[in-house]
Each structure stands twice: as structure tokens, then as C-alpha cells.
Amino acid sequence: QFGRTEVIDNTLNPDFVRKFVLDYYFEEKQNLRFDPLGSHGAVLGVQDFLGQAFVALGEVIGSQRGRLERALTGVPGKRCGTILLLAEELSNCRDIVTMQLCANKLDKKDFFGKSDPFLVFYRSNEDGTFTICHKTEVVKNTLNPVWQPFTIPVRTLCNGDYDRTVKIDVYDWDRDGSHDFIGEFATSYRELSRAQSQFTVYEVGRGYGVGVRGTPHVGPNPPWHLQVLNPRKKCKKKKYVNSGTVTLLSFSVESEFTFVDYIRGGTQLNFTVAIDFTASNGLPSHPTSLHYVSPYQLSAYALALKAVGEVIQDYDSDKLFPAYGFGAKLPPDGKISHQFPLNNNEDNPSCAGIDGVLESYLQSLRTVQLYGPTNFAPVINQVAGAAAQVTDGSQYHVLLIITDGVISDMLQTKEAIVTASSLPMSIIIVGVGPAEFEAMEELDGDEVRVSSRGRYAERDIVQFVPFRDYVDDSGNQVLSMARLAKDVLAEIPEQLLSYMKTRDIKPRRAD
């Protein structure tokens, strides 16, 4: 049990106010159960079972406007009513700040030459301590440095508390690491953000914000300008005014959109499956075959398909998945195909749900002849062609390729991946069986970006995992599937976001 709502008296249509916060992971299927209970009036502690609803968190998030209605079941012979679930992503300060600062007339710390100043930003903690959250670069040999613009998440700068103190120290860099302290000042995110409406012109010497290890004072008139005070030096010299000035040149904020923002805005994940039917898998009727259908357990291919598909299907509204096979001879003429529909329907290769894909896959095993070679490019190009039709962010394609061995068309596959990297699509490759998968590791561009004919992939869109790494020692297939799905789907949200960002596509507002 995760939590309970409040009790609402005397109604059959309760509207609960209490909310529950759940950690959300795209790569996992998070199953929830809701049990509405009724009470016997004044009889304390007695509760009636009114039904229950089972739902995956992804189904709620993937539904229109984050609203999902589900029938209650569980009481034989009785209609139990319905439950309406509403999901929203908590706004945990996802803004990103870009700012630029400069300084003027800083104290000279070096005997030969001028200072080499840099800034250190500290976030204040609830216990009164400070934690370093950013350092600027060092600007050499100047008392009037201009630092490069830098970007920092607001949650890193102040943990989302706009009034929390942000302390900035100014140092003179020394090669041996014993940097000289020049001065410090304090501010807050709220005060920094005022620079958004004040352009970039500041008058040096007009100090409206002065802070020394305390709460900054901010004057009523812009432009806002910070003076650097060195408390150690002030104690020694009565006529000491400051150790220089720091000017906030620019400050801008933009939202960091999340995967959920796009899904809630209507982006659909289109899931396509491609299964390896080459002869190296072994005869499906033989127990040693990777395609062997046992009455007791699923094959490695079926396990990988269900593990990934059951998670991703929650984000596809029509639950219709194109499914292809490659590397087989097809009846009746024995023609080799690297892109044949598992349901034997060239005009509509879509299957109804993951169970429909699995059924078509098993049917194909009984009708085609496993052959070869192992070519990926045709099916990648097929999905890329569909992805190229809609590039406005409303559709994103995920291709799952399940294979057992060495790829035969490496050059063509690399070229297909480079082309697809500019489209709204990702490729998941699951390797089954005992083979070495060096070629697959090469296609997974985590270390070196895939290239073809001098062109590099615009984005890393391939995720490869060997299935054997996820087989549970105890033989628990459910656990194996969960671990596999978690790893192969972990990169999909970031890959989707990278496409949207490179195309400057923002989430649509949910109606």
C-alpha cells in the first residue's frame, strides 16, 4: 500500500483532493492498483470492497491530457462504476539560467603583472553551510575581466528557492592552487533575475547591491550592480571602499522541457519491430534454436519483444505496431526478403498490441524458411521513411531490432543510421544468443559517433544490449524482462529530447 485518500461522506461520485507523488521512470513498467473502499457509516473500522482498477503509470501519462478513465472490477455480477485518474508532472524548477558577468578595478594580487580573476558560486544550504555549484574560467592578467556566459540549472543554483542566498567569491588564480581571496558578495536568484528587463547597460560605481557574508541589500533603482567587499581588508584600512565591482551583463531563463512534457503535449511514440529470421538462429523446431517455442517458457526473441514492447505500448494511442522479419525465404517461391510483414499483409503490416506481434511472429516461424544474410539497412530505411513524413514533433519512431549475430550489410547500415539520425527516431538492438557482438557495439554511438562516407550521425540514436547479460540466474523470466526493458529504454527519453532541441520544437500545450 502506497497511500490513502481522504474519506468523502455520503456520495457515489467522490472527487478526491489528496494527491500522491510517484517517482516516474519511462524505462520501467510501473503497475498500480486502486481499491475504492466504502465504510459502514458509524461502524468504525468496517470497510466494503467496492471494486478495483489495475493500470500502468505509463498509460495515465500517455493518455490524452493525462486523464485516464478505467472501469472498476472485482465484484462478481455487479457493475462497480469507474475511476478517473489525473496525472501531472510536478514542476521541480526545471528552468535553466544563462548569465554573464564582468568585473572592474579588482584588487591587484600578483607582484608581477595583474590578477588572474575567476568567480566561485556557492549555493546556501538549509543548515547554513555553502556548497560550490559553479566556477567560471580564469581570465588572465587583468583587473577588468569579462567572463564567458555560462548556463546553470536553477535547482543547482538555489534548489528552486528564489530567495535563498547565493554567495559569489572572487579569487586571483595561482598556479600552485593557493588562490588569493579578493572579495565576495551575496545575492539571490530573484535579484539576479531582475536583470532580464534591464538590458546590458550598467553604471560602474553605482552600488545598489552590497553583501558581505549576509543578506544582500538591493536598492530601488536599476541598473543593479554588485560591489565586491573584502571583509578581511576592510578591517585593516579605514578608508577602504571595496575591492572592485562585478557587473551582471546578461541574465536569461529558458525552460528545460522533459520527456513527459512532450508526451502530455501529444507526441506519439510509434513502435516498430524487426526480427532476425536467419538460419544461424537454428531450426525453430530444435530445442537449441533461439526461436524454439517451448511449452514451458518463451524464447529469447519473445522475451525481448515482450519486455520492451509492453513498456512502450503504453505511449502509443492506437496500439498498432508494424512488425517485420528479415533474412528468410518466403513461400510460395522461396524469395529471400529482408523486410517482410510478420502478419503477411504488405498493405498493412501493423499488429494489434504486443500480443498481436507475438502471435504473428510465431505464425511466421511456421511458414517461412530461415536463411540469410543478416541485413539491417532495409528495415531501418523503411522506418526512417515513415519518420521523415512527420517531423514536427508530433510523432517519434522507435525501431526494435532483435538479432542473433554478425551483421552482413555494415556499410549500408551505417549509412542508414547516419541518415536516420536527423529524423525523429531511435533504434534499439537486442542481441540474443552466445555470439560476439563487436559490430553492434560499433553501431551504438556512445563512444564513437557512427559515420558513413565522411558524414557523422547528427545524434546518437542507437542503443545496443546483449540479452544474455539480463538472464536471471534463478531463471526468473519476469525479472530478466524488467532488467532488460530498463536498460534498453533508458536512453529513449534523452534521444527524443535531443531531436526536439536540435529542431527547436517545444511541447504543445495540453488541451
Side-chain angles (χ1 to χ4, degrees):
Q1 178 175 300
F2 182 78
R4 292 192 176 202
T5 67
E6 73 279 15
V7 174
I8 299 181
D9 292 330
N10 197 32
T11 180
L12 300 179
N13 302 289
D15 186 3
F16 299 105
V17 175
R18 185 173 299 167
K19 298 180 180 180
F20 300 97
V21 179
L22 297 170
D23 290 326
Y24 164 72
Y25 306 98
F26 166 75
E27 63 272 18
E28 295 182 13
K29 192 172 184 69
Q30 296 171 258
N31 294 311
L32 308 174
R33 191 185 83 193
F34 296 88
D35 290 357
L37 302 173
S39 62
H40 271 356
V43 183
L44 299 179
V46 179
Q47 295 173 327
D48 294 322
F49 176 74
L50 302 180
Q52 60 185 192
F54 296 88
V55 62
L57 182 56
E59 289 183 272
V60 186
I61 294 173
S63 60
Q64 287 190 345
R65 302 188 301 278
R67 299 165 58 93
L68 182 68
E69 189 169 332
R70 184 60 55 87
L72 295 169
T73 61
V75 181
K78 182 180 179 181
R79 296 179 63 181
C80 301
T82 59
I83 184 170
L84 177 63
L85 306 172
L86 306 177
E88 62 180 4
E89 186 178 22
L90 293 181
S91 177
N92 190 22
C93 193
R94 290 180 278 121
D95 291 342
I96 295 178
V97 168
T98 300
M99 69 177 87
Q100 183 177 20
L101 301 98
C102 71
N104 189 49
K105 297 182 180 179
L106 295 177
D107 283 349
K108 181 177 179 294
K109 292 294 182 178
D110 293 338
F111 187 77
F112 297 105
K114 300 176 181 178
S115 296
D116 303 319
F118 67 97
L119 302 176
V120 180
F121 285 70
Y122 299 84
R123 179 185 67 245
S124 59
N125 304 313
E126 292 184 1
D127 60 0
T129 61
F130 288 91
T131 301
I132 293 177
C133 59
H134 180 75
K135 289 183 181 180
T136 67
E137 79 281 9
V138 176
V139 181
K140 292 293 191 70
N141 196 32
T142 181
L143 302 180
N144 305 293
V146 179
W147 290 282
Q148 293 294 318
F150 67 90
T151 298
I152 185 172
V154 173
R155 59 179 175 268
T156 301
L157 185 66
C158 62
N159 202 30
D161 182 351
Y162 289 178
D163 296 307
R164 183 174 295 195
T165 299
V166 176
K167 186 167 76 76
I168 299 99
D169 285 352
V170 186
Y171 283 94
D172 170 37
W173 178 85
D174 285 332
R175 188 180 301 276
D176 62 2
S178 58
H179 311 309
D180 297 318
F181 180 78
I182 295 177
E184 66 179 1
F185 60 89
T187 182
S188 68
Y189 171 85
R190 192 178 302 280
E191 291 163 2
L192 288 168
S193 65
R194 295 177 184 178
Q196 293 181 87
S197 59
Q198 298 173 23
F199 303 104
T200 57
V201 180
Y202 296 89
E203 295 183 25
V204 176
R206 293 184 60 187
Y208 292 103
V210 178
V212 183
R213 297 191 186 279
T215 304
H217 169 75
V218 179
N221 300 314
W224 190 57
H225 186 263
L226 299 174
Q227 289 190 3
V228 182
L229 297 183
N230 186 336
R232 307 170 196 176
K233 189 169 184 178
K234 188 174 183 180
C235 295
K236 297 179 181 178
K237 294 185 179 181
K238 295 181 179 180
K239 294 183 179 180
Y240 173 77
V241 178
N242 60 53
S243 296
T245 59
V246 171
T247 304
L248 184 61
L249 293 175
S250 63
F251 185 96
S252 61
V253 184
E254 67 177 19
S255 294
E256 181 185 35
F257 297 117
T258 67
F259 174 76
V260 174
D261 289 331
Y262 287 97
I263 297 299
R264 292 287 300 277
T267 297
Q268 288 291 309
L269 296 188
N270 297 318
F271 184 47
T272 301
V273 178
I275 296 178
D276 185 339
F277 280 78
T278 56
S280 55
N281 287 281
L283 287 174
S285 59
H286 198 281
T288 60
S289 172
L290 295 170
H291 284 300
Y292 179 64
V293 180
S294 165
Y296 307 108
Q297 64 181 15
L298 296 172
S299 68
Y301 277 88
L303 278 174
L305 173 60
K306 286 181 66 69
V308 178
E310 287 187 349
V311 172
I312 209 168
Q313 71 176 351
D314 291 336
Y315 301 87
D316 191 313
S317 59
D318 63 12
K319 304 293 188 292
L320 296 175
F321 308 123
Y324 298 94
F326 58 89
K329 284 185 175 182
L330 308 184
D333 56 3
K335 180 181 178 181
I336 299 174
S337 175
H338 299 289
Q339 182 193 332
F340 62 91
L342 295 184
N343 64 2
N344 202 31
N345 187 338
E346 292 283 354
D347 297 327
N348 183 14
S350 296
C351 302
I354 295 307
D355 288 338
V357 176
L358 189 59
E359 181 181 346
S360 295
Y361 156 64
L362 296 176
Q363 178 62 32
S364 291
L365 283 178
R366 293 189 284 267
T367 57
V368 306
Q369 178 187 349
L370 274 60
Y371 203 71
T374 307
N375 292 349
F376 286 1
V379 72
I380 293 176
N381 288 329
Q382 169 74 19
V383 177
Q389 299 300 312
V390 182
T391 58
D392 62 358
S394 62
Q395 307 283 329
Y396 194 87
H397 294 257
V398 179
L399 169 61
L400 170 64
I401 300 175
I402 312 176
T403 184
D404 81 313
V406 179
I407 188 170
S408 305
D409 63 341
M410 190 65 169
L411 294 179
Q412 294 87 342
T413 295
K414 283 185 174 182
E415 185 170 356
I417 290 172
V418 170
T419 300
S421 68
S422 63
L423 299 171
M425 94 179 254
S426 293
I427 302 170
I428 298 168
I429 304 175
V430 177
V432 297
E436 296 300 324
F437 296 105
E438 293 91 344
M440 304 302 153
E441 298 284 3
E442 188 177 344
L443 296 179
D444 189 331
D446 287 342
E447 300 296 331
V448 179
R449 190 64 57 86
V450 176
S451 64
S452 173
R453 301 181 182 181
R455 288 194 306 146
Y456 282 85
E458 182 179 311
R459 301 179 296 123
D460 173 20
I461 64 169
V462 179
Q463 168 77 338
F464 167 75
V465 296
F467 182 77
R468 58 174 173 262
D469 291 354
Y470 299 88
V471 176
D472 186 66
D473 293 337
S474 65
N476 187 328
Q477 289 192 338
V478 174
L479 185 58
S480 297
M481 290 166 61
R483 293 176 60 222
L484 174 68
K486 182 175 182 179
D487 274 13
V488 300
L489 292 174
E491 292 187 12
I492 298 298
E494 286 302 319
Q495 290 175 0
L496 182 147
L497 290 174
S498 71
Y499 173 79
M500 301 298 186
K501 189 170 184 179
T502 57
R503 297 298 183 275
D504 194 28
I505 298 173
K506 294 179 173 54
R508 298 178 181 178
R509 289 183 175 273
D511 296 331

